[in-house]
Amino acid sequence: MTEPRDPRRRVPRPAGRGRAGSRGGSAGRGGQAGRRGALHRPAAKRTTPKPAVPGPSAARSSTAPKQSAKQAARPVRPRSGPALLRLGSPRPRLRLVSLGLTVVMLVFVVRLFQVQAVDAGAFAAKANVNRYVPVKLAAERGAITDRDGVNLATTVDAYDITADPSLLAPDKSKIDDAPQRAAALLAPILHQDKAALAKKLARPKARYVLLARQQTPQVWKKIKALRRTLDARAAADRKHGPNVLVGIFADKHSKRVYPNKDLASGVLGFVNRAGKGGGGLEALLDKRLAGKDGKLVYAQSGGRRVPTADAQEHPAVPGSDVELTLDRDIQWAAQRAITKQVAKSGADRGYVVVQDTRTGEILALANAPGFDPNEVAKADPAALGNAALSDAFEPGSTSKLMSMAAVLEEGAATPATRVTVPNRLHRGDRLFADDIDHPTWYLTLNGVLAKSSNIGTILATGQLGRTQREANQVLYSYLRKFGIGRPTGLSFPGETPGILAKPQDWNTSQQYTIPFGQGLSLNAVQAASVYSTIANGGERIAPTLVRGTTGPDGRYVPAPKPAKNRVVSEKTARELATMLESVVDDEEGTGAKAKIPGYRVGGKTGTSNRVDPRTGRYHGYTASFAGFAPADKPRITVYCAVQNPTRGSYFGGQVCGPIYQQVMAFALKTLQVPPTGAQPPRLPVTFKPGQ
């Protein structure tokens, strides 16, 4: 076998052949032929020449080194044949490629180590941000019920009907009038104008429009049923064309509903579009009613949830249900009565308060005009509050009960004490009069209250101290005990504590007007609480609106017990109750229209000058009536006030007496309060001088 040849080694030309080629023509031709042959042979297939056979030419070849040395000294003559191709060694290239691959792999390893070890947490968090989607789980808002569990405010499912107008474009729907057809189908369901709907739908570049907000589930069911019908018709017969309701959708959410519309709206308030309480108890008890929203975190891909991936869910905690002290039926009766009277009298507004005298619970709190919390956007902004708590007004003669309580409790007089009442009384820089001109009246203290004499009240309260200053201080202390000039305890949004200046700040006029209800201000609930205090034996119980709450766990928690304070003795309270009966039952009294057959009724009329809240000046009147029944065993207090009656009478007995009678009679029957059957004692109203 021949030994492999290094391709880089140059093969020497045989010495004999070279010499022969230079000498002889035949040899030269042979050499040329050899060179021509060499042009057609690949260099890679050249083999190692066999060693020369020893012969005569060997002697000649011995002289070759000498000749080669001589030839090396001579310049090399360029060859006439083509240059030979020399192949390099592959090892350097292999080393270079290996080095490059090693560097690349090293970069990948370093990056992989960084991603999976060093910054693994950071990259995982970034990936989760895009992969995992958090979704808020809205908590169901608690219901508000009356004392019998009847819903006054509750939460139901609702749907916003939306559309993708681009799907109704002619190039997609293949119908030129697709928006008009869809509008014609939706208009009767949504109770909207067909042209207005068509205008919203005829926007081919829009992807979202709101057609109707907060629709009932029944409305959405009708739309889905109609859409299925159109799909079936289109599948059965192509002549009908594609379904034009294909671009109609619905967004589901919760909706606050008030089943009784405007009933007790001033108490309940409303919920705004953000789902937060915007007024009334909805605002006051918002945290309790709202509950706590939950959270769902799930994996998504391409905008869709990955069902096999992990998900974390924190369930929402529903809000608590709130039970009020209101009685829905009594609230309805009170609201109906005051609404009719305000309209009949052409008044600005009016309110009725019904209170349980034994517990302080408010059974009705009616305002007129009211509003429908289901349609807050359409309501008069002035009617959105609760005027029975936010209006501060001068009570007038209904306030005389507090003056009489102070006189009796301090022992300055008795119901039978005689009071001579002139037609005019000069005090300070003013001349005081009663509501009508009259000759000198000879009244008992009971008669002063029954005939609602301003002059008689001034004379009676003047006996509370040795000086007018002392009398003012004593009267002020009783007014404060009755709750005037301080919050009711309801903490209701917008509630006014009323206005009662300190006695040292009373001017000359106020010293004599405050005893008969001018120069101080209160709200309707405060006025009702005064009469409930007397009905409850002289002990004031703070008014309440909430009976208790039922939490998400179903456990009922009663409301804290209201605060109590003794204002007058039971003896004084009984005497005052009897005196109030004279106002209604006696022919000399001003409250005859408040009589209720079969029941003993005690009450007091009130007519006061009214301060116009817009101008701050006196303009018009406030007509009012307050009382309780049965007078000998009180159970219910009713207070009514009408602001600025402009048609008919403006006296409290004429305007509010009938309202008191209607509401009180209804409440007694509703609560099944039996008549006592006893006859009222008739205290003297007048006396004859000299006897």
Side-chain angles (χ1 to χ4, degrees):
M1 293 180 62
T2 58
E3 190 175 353
R5 180 180 178 185
D6 188 349
R8 293 175 298 175
R9 192 175 69 182
R10 188 174 180 181
V11 181
R13 183 181 299 172
R17 187 176 298 179
R19 290 174 64 90
S22 62
R23 289 183 180 181
S26 61
R29 285 191 300 270
Q32 291 176 0
R35 284 191 298 271
R36 284 194 302 270
L39 292 175
H40 298 282
R41 291 194 301 267
K45 295 183 179 181
R46 296 170 67 182
T47 58
T48 303
K50 296 180 180 180
V53 179
S57 61
R60 290 194 302 269
S61 65
S62 62
T63 61
K66 295 181 181 180
Q67 292 178 357
S68 298
K70 291 180 181 181
Q71 290 174 356
R74 293 198 300 264
V76 178
R77 187 171 53 187
R79 298 177 182 176
S80 58
L84 297 176
L85 178 63
R86 297 182 179 181
L87 299 177
S89 174
R91 292 178 182 176
R93 290 193 295 272
L94 291 174
R95 293 191 188 99
L96 184 60
V97 172
S98 299
L99 180 61
L101 291 176
T102 302
V103 172
V104 172
M105 291 300 296
L106 184 61
V107 170
F108 276 104
V109 170
V110 172
R111 181 59 175 168
L112 187 62
F113 180 77
Q114 179 188 11
V115 170
Q116 293 190 348
V118 179
D119 297 332
F123 282 101
K126 290 181 180 180
N128 289 339
V129 168
N130 296 323
R131 185 187 180 199
Y132 287 93
V133 178
V135 177
K136 184 180 77 171
L137 302 177
E140 182 178 354
R141 193 172 182 87
I144 301 178
T145 69
D146 79 339
R147 64 190 302 111
D148 295 322
V150 179
N151 278 337
L152 301 177
T154 187
T155 301
V156 298
D157 291 336
Y159 295 85
D160 287 346
I161 308 302
T162 64
D164 183 351
S166 66
L167 298 178
L168 300 178
D171 57 336
K172 292 185 178 180
S173 65
K174 309 303 181 184
I175 301 176
D176 294 336
D177 60 344
Q180 288 72 24
R181 292 189 186 184
L185 294 172
L186 294 173
I189 300 177
L190 300 178
H191 302 289
Q192 293 191 19
D193 181 63
K194 181 172 65 175
L197 286 175
K199 185 177 180 181
K200 291 181 179 180
L201 295 172
R203 298 167 57 188
K205 294 184 179 180
R207 297 301 306 274
Y208 177 89
V209 293
L210 178 63
L211 301 180
R213 189 184 298 276
Q214 294 188 343
Q215 299 298 302
T216 63
Q218 289 74 19
V219 170
W220 177 232
K221 286 181 180 179
K222 289 181 181 178
I223 295 176
K224 290 193 296 183
L226 182 58
R227 194 164 59 181
R228 286 194 297 268
T229 301
L230 295 177
D231 283 337
R233 187 181 301 174
D237 189 355
R238 293 185 178 181
K239 293 181 180 180
H240 292 286
N243 185 356
V244 293
L245 297 183
V246 68
I248 308 302
F249 306 97
D251 295 334
K252 183 180 178 181
H253 58 87
S254 61
K255 177 183 179 181
R256 196 63 165 172
V257 174
Y258 302 88
N260 304 289
K261 297 185 178 180
D262 63 342
L263 186 71
S265 58
V267 178
L268 300 175
F270 57 93
V271 172
N272 57 30
R273 290 187 176 183
K276 304 295 183 181
L281 293 180
E282 292 278 22
L284 179 64
L285 307 176
D286 185 65
K287 290 185 178 180
R288 198 180 306 178
L289 291 166
K292 186 177 180 181
D293 291 338
K295 186 178 182 181
L296 173 64
V297 180
Y298 63 87
Q300 62 88 26
S301 178
R304 296 184 178 181
R305 181 174 179 177
V306 180
T308 57
D310 294 335
Q312 295 181 352
E313 181 177 357
H314 301 281
V317 180
S320 299
D321 295 337
V322 177
E323 180 185 345
L324 303 185
T325 61
L326 299 181
D327 184 290
R328 185 187 64 168
D329 295 336
I330 298 176
Q331 176 73 30
W332 172 82
Q335 194 159 317
R336 182 186 63 169
I338 191 62
T339 300
K340 288 183 177 180
Q341 187 61 54
V342 167
K344 178 181 177 181
S345 300
D348 291 350
R349 62 174 57 125
Y351 7 82
V352 172
V353 181
V354 182
Q355 188 175 22
D356 189 324
T357 60
R358 304 172 305 174
T359 63
E361 294 179 344
I362 295 177
L363 303 178
L365 190 57
N367 291 271
F371 67 96
D372 185 353
N374 296 302
E375 301 288 347
V376 177
K378 299 179 181 179
D380 180 1
L384 291 179
N386 191 324
L389 283 162
S390 61
D391 278 5
F393 56 92
E394 297 186 0
S397 294
T398 54
S399 180
K400 291 174 182 174
L401 180 66
M402 293 184 284
S403 299
M404 294 300 169
V407 171
L408 294 177
E409 186 70 12
E410 291 296 315
T414 67
T417 299
R418 297 181 175 186
V419 182
T420 301
V421 181
N423 187 42
R424 293 289 185 273
L425 180 67
H426 189 274
R427 287 291 186 271
D429 58 350
R430 290 190 59 180
L431 197 63
F432 293 93
D434 288 319
D435 60 321
I436 58 173
D437 286 331
H438 59 80
T440 299
W441 282 342
Y442 300 98
L443 305 175
T444 62
L445 188 64
N446 178 62
V448 169
L449 187 63
K451 293 182 73 69
S452 194
S453 172
N454 296 338
I455 294 176
T457 304
I458 294 173
L459 294 173
T461 55
Q463 305 302 311
L464 290 174
R466 290 173 297 178
T467 64
Q468 187 62 47
R469 184 180 297 273
E470 288 183 7
N472 295 344
Q473 185 65 52
V474 173
L475 180 60
Y476 173 81
S477 67
Y478 278 92
L479 295 176
R480 292 288 291 179
K481 288 179 183 178
F482 275 106
I484 309 304
R486 61 179 63 185
T488 61
L490 296 175
S491 302
F492 201 87
E495 176 187 339
T496 177
I499 301 173
L500 178 62
K502 294 183 178 180
Q504 58 267 29
D505 297 328
W506 294 359
N507 58 35
T508 304
S509 176
Q510 284 179 305
Q511 294 180 77
Y512 307 106
T513 60
I514 286 179
F516 60 78
Q518 300 272 185
L520 76 162
S521 297
L522 44 66
N523 62 48
V525 174
Q526 288 174 321
S529 179
V530 170
Y531 283 77
S532 291
T533 299
I534 300 304
N536 192 44
E539 184 180 45
R540 181 181 184 272
I541 303 178
T544 56
L545 271 172
V546 177
R547 293 189 82 189
T549 58
T550 302
D553 56 355
R555 187 166 59 94
Y556 178 80
V557 179
K561 294 183 178 181
K564 300 179 180 181
N565 66 287
R566 171 66 59 181
V567 179
V568 296
S569 66
E570 292 186 11
K571 176 178 177 294
T572 298
R574 286 195 301 269
E575 290 176 340
L576 287 169
T578 304
M579 292 171 66
L580 288 173
E581 285 190 79
S582 298
V583 177
V584 178
D585 186 65
D586 196 279
E587 60 183 11
E588 296 283 349
T590 59
K593 288 186 176 294
K595 290 182 180 180
I596 301 175
Y599 291 90
R600 292 172 58 179
V601 176
K604 183 69 187 76
T605 60
T607 306
S608 62
N609 293 312
R610 174 179 176 270
V611 177
D612 191 331
R614 294 170 296 183
T615 63
R617 298 178 179 273
Y618 282 109
H619 177 74
Y621 298 92
T622 297
S624 60
F625 193 98
F628 48 80
D632 54 337
K633 195 175 181 181
R635 175 70 190 277
I636 303 169
T637 294
V638 173
Y639 177 82
C640 165
V642 173
Q643 298 291 346
N644 195 31
T646 59
R647 289 196 295 267
S649 175
Y650 58 83
F651 290 108
Q654 302 297 319
V655 176
C656 288
I659 299 177
Y660 172 91
Q661 193 272 345
Q662 295 173 35
V663 176
M664 179 63 80
F666 185 91
L668 291 171
K669 292 178 180 179
T670 300
L671 299 179
Q672 299 180 354
V673 179
T676 56
Q679 294 297 319
R682 297 184 180 275
L683 298 178
V685 174
T686 63
F687 70 94
K688 292 182 179 181
Q691 293 185 358

